[in-house]
Amino acid sequence: MAATRVISVVGKKDAGKTSLVVALAAEFVKRGRRVATIKHGTHPADVDRPGTDTYRHYHEGMAGQVLMEFPGGRVLFEHTTDEADAPTLVRRFLRDAEIVIVEGYKRSSLPKIEVHRRSLHHAPLFDAASPEAPLWIAMVTDDDTLRLPMPVFRFSDTGWFVSLAQLAWEHATVIDD
């Protein structure tokens, strides 16, 4: 099995992280890559409804894992007591992917692309004085005045997306077998 690349997209609430993750995933699929994504949440996800069979398996049956198979897909529900980091999740579940695009895990040691909307938040997460600053590989923003020691792509510009996808591929952490 070939190595898997992992890159993280970070930013504050409603900055556009999900839109960028989805766009990057689609771009890599167009390039013929095997792509996976991870969404890191800070609150429990509501992915099933009371009364459904899978809900009953998971909650009433107390099964450690419930795998739901359906036409065109499958979902794994798993009880956990601790939070795993993205590389651990990649090694356990996503080894077949050539690249995994992670939304979140802003405190991880993964390379980061930040999405920053000045119209919503005064300052980005990036802090040039932080020891983690070298992890940032690019910024996507609506702030025309923002100057940083990394590539800065403006939402208002055109043609930057292909360059950003190439940066993501080149700077992604490589997880070997």
Side-chain angles (χ1 to χ4, degrees):
M1 183 65 53
T4 301
R5 296 169 182 269
V6 184
I7 190 82
S8 183
V9 174
V10 299
K12 295 179 181 175
K13 184 173 175 50
D14 295 327
K17 300 178 296 292
T18 299
S19 294
L20 184 58
V21 168
V22 169
L24 284 170
E27 175 65 20
F28 286 122
V29 167
K30 269 198 299 190
R31 294 179 183 195
R33 301 292 185 184
R34 292 183 316 277
V35 180
T37 64
I38 295 174
K39 166 68 172 137
H40 181 243
T42 57
H43 52 81
D46 182 19
V47 294
D48 206 357
R49 296 179 325 275
T52 63
D53 291 346
T54 52
Y55 186 92
R56 293 191 66 211
H57 282 241
Y58 187 71
H59 293 282
E60 295 172 31
M62 298 304 292
Q65 294 178 314
V66 175
L67 182 63
M68 181 172 68
E69 177 79 18
F70 53 89
R74 71 182 56 95
V75 176
L76 174 66
F77 297 93
E78 181 176 45
H79 287 280
T80 61
T81 56
D82 58 340
E83 184 176 308
D85 62 9
T88 299
L89 294 171
V90 169
R91 285 184 188 98
R92 183 163 176 211
F93 297 109
L94 305 174
R95 294 302 295 160
D96 291 339
E98 290 177 277
I99 187 162
V100 177
I101 306 163
V102 176
E103 180 177 339
Y105 284 102
K106 62 186 170 190
R107 291 179 184 84
S108 77
S109 61
L110 293 171
K112 295 165 183 29
I113 298 169
E114 182 173 350
V115 182
H116 168 62
R117 297 227 186 237
R118 182 161 169 69
S119 58
L120 296 174
H121 304 282
H122 177 70
L125 295 170
F126 175 75
D127 177 1
S130 167
E132 288 80 32
L135 295 172
W136 265 253
I137 65 160
M139 179 77 63
V140 180
T141 184
D142 61 353
D143 187 346
D144 291 333
T145 65
L146 194 59
R147 303 290 181 261
L148 297 171
M150 70 183 89
V152 177
F153 300 99
R154 315 267 184 240
F155 290 117
S156 59
D157 294 342
T158 59
W160 56 265
F161 187 71
V162 171
S163 297
L164 181 65
Q166 190 60 36
L167 274 172
W169 180 262
E170 291 171 358
H171 291 275
T173 292
V174 176
I175 298 177
D176 293 313
D177 288 332

